[in-house]
Amino acid sequence: MRTIRFLLQKEFRQIFRNRAILLLIGVMPVMQLLILPLAANYEVKNINLSVVDHDRSAYAQKLITKVTASGYFKLRGYSASFKEELRKIESDESDLILEIPQGFERNLIREDQQQLFIAVNAINGVKANLGGAYLTSIIRNFNEEIRIELLPPGRFNPAPVIEITASNWYNPLMEYRFYMVPGILAILVTMIGGFLSALNIVKEKEFGTIEQINVTPIKKHHFILGKLIPFWVLGNVVFSLGLLVAWLIYGIIPVGSLLVLYCFLSVYLLAILGFGLLISTFCDTQQQAMFIMFFFMMVFILMGGLFTSIDSMPDWAKLVSRFNPVSYLIEVMRMVILKGSGWKEIWPQFGIIALFAVFLNTYAIINYKKTS
């Protein structure tokens, strides 16, 4: 313990002498938590719509009014020429075209049916899918209103109606910030812990101080623990700052136990710091360590379930995500903060992260070559 204490004193002095690290720990997480949740929003609004109206009837005008009044669409063009409105899609002025054929109102009244044409700019797949779905839903509701309006009273016997009442659990107002903030905080903790630990041993190699440590009687596991514990403490500090910002700015208060959250985070930090130290034992320069860590971080973030649900990924990607520690932290963060899950619910994820921590740190100790 005395050896580890001296090593910890050395590491903390080096950290507090480096103002860049202090700014990285104190300022970067706060700024990113203030900006990223506001920009990361899955709800698509302000969809630019062009209308080609060949009918110009009362029903056509009523449909256009209903679409624009929904709040999702902005009317960017209204004409009787499809080619003219198509040019607006080609110049990115419009995202969708709704074409209303001639005889729209007449066919609805006389023949009880009429087809509409929707052209969607599918370059942005998310916006295209949601925009098309919104427009189809509005047209469907408009169709129901027209059917009720045209239905003669007493013509048909009243049919049984099933009424559906929806209730949103865990996020009643469907605020995307509530969904994104826990995931973004998990990514920030991972990036800070991973990058700082990956650069730690390599920095000793570049400065030449590793040779002085190698000739001392310090054991390998003491050396790895001395490098790991300071950043484990800093990781918890960053996480606490993130929870404070989430509470003060976004009003997000964990529904579940903070003890459960911090216990899982503590083991997770051991895993991600062990991964960073393992990379550091393989590299000779900080540049190498940064490039390798950046590669893994991109994979961790994109396949961690922050922006894309893991359930919607192909089978091979689901298999890869099982070896992604970030996916477990994001899942547990959302479970505890939003759903109030406890030990019983997060126990499988906790066990997997514990295995990650044991394997990565053991490998880092074994791979660190203490030569004089």
Side-chain angles (χ1 to χ4, degrees), residues 7 9 18 103 112 115 214 229 232 275 292 310 325 354 356 361 365:
L7 288 172
Q9 290 176 357
N18 192 333
D112 296 330
Q115 291 183 344
N214 286 337
I229 293 175
W232 181 87
F275 181 68
I292 295 175
I310 295 176
F356 273 119
N361 284 282
I365 293 172

Side-chain angles (χ1 to χ4, degrees), residues 98-335:
L98 171 62
E99 185 176 18
I100 302 175
Q102 189 172 5
F104 173 70
E105 181 175 322
R106 183 185 68 250
N107 293 336
L108 275 178
I109 296 174
R110 295 180 180 179
E111 301 179 14
D112 296 330
Q113 63 178 358
Q114 178 59 64
Q115 291 183 344
L116 297 176
F117 178 74
I118 299 175
V120 183
N121 181 3
I123 290 179
N124 185 337
V126 175
K127 193 172 186 179
N129 285 330
L130 290 178
Y134 292 160
L135 186 56
T136 302
S137 177
I138 294 171
I139 294 173
R140 188 182 299 114
N141 291 336
F142 174 77
N143 183 47
E144 293 295 327
E145 294 176 4
I146 294 299
R147 290 181 63 187
I148 294 174
E149 181 181 328
L150 298 178
L151 185 68
R155 180 177 177 183
F156 299 105
N157 294 327
V161 177
I162 298 176
E163 183 178 352
I164 300 174
T165 303
S167 176
N168 300 322
W169 287 13
Y170 313 126
N171 188 5
L173 300 178
M174 298 182 70
E175 290 280 351
Y176 281 104
R177 288 174 292 181
F178 283 31
Y179 177 76
M180 295 301 298
V181 168
I184 292 173
L185 180 54
I187 294 297
L188 292 178
V189 171
T190 303
M191 290 181 65
I192 291 175
F195 274 104
L196 291 180
S197 59
L199 298 175
N200 201 287
I201 297 178
V202 177
K203 184 174 64 175
E204 301 275 8
K205 294 178 182 179
E206 287 191 342
F207 291 168
T209 53
I210 193 72
E211 301 298 333
Q212 300 175 16
I213 296 175
N214 286 337
V215 297
T216 62
I218 298 175
K219 295 182 179 179
K220 292 198 295 183
H221 66 277
H222 287 160
F223 178 72
I224 294 296
L225 285 174
K227 293 290 184 182
L228 185 144
I229 293 175
F231 295 111
W232 181 87
V233 174
L234 294 177
N236 280 279
V237 171
V238 170
F239 183 74
S240 300
L241 279 175
L243 288 181
L244 183 62
V245 171
W247 171 54
L248 293 176
I249 304 300
Y250 303 110
I252 299 176
I253 301 174
V255 179
S257 170
L258 285 175
L259 178 62
V260 173
L261 204 56
Y262 273 96
C263 286
F264 186 89
L265 178 75
S266 299
V267 178
Y268 174 81
L269 283 172
L270 291 177
I272 202 66
L273 292 173
F275 181 68
L277 291 174
L278 177 61
I279 290 177
S280 194
T281 60
F282 279 106
C283 299
D284 296 321
T285 65
Q286 295 186 64
Q287 188 178 37
Q288 291 177 357
M290 286 190 65
F291 274 114
I292 295 175
M293 200 66 193
F294 180 77
F295 166 77
F296 281 104
M297 280 297 167
M298 288 297 294
V299 176
F300 288 166
I301 294 172
L302 295 177
M303 303 189 69
L306 177 61
F307 301 106
T308 305
S309 173
I310 295 176
D311 293 333
S312 64
M313 296 181 183
D315 292 337
W316 66 266
K318 292 179 182 178
L319 181 62
V320 172
S321 67
R322 294 179 183 177
F323 298 93
N324 181 1
V326 177
S327 65
Y328 298 100
L329 179 61
I330 293 176
E331 182 180 5
V332 168
M333 290 271 288
R334 288 168 174 166
M335 289 172 64

Side-chain angles (χ1 to χ4, degrees), residues 7-17 229-230 233:
L7 288 172
L8 292 179
Q9 290 176 357
K10 164 188 167 296
E11 291 296 328
F12 276 113
R13 284 176 182 173
Q14 286 183 337
I15 290 172
F16 288 118
R17 286 172 184 169
I229 293 175
V233 174

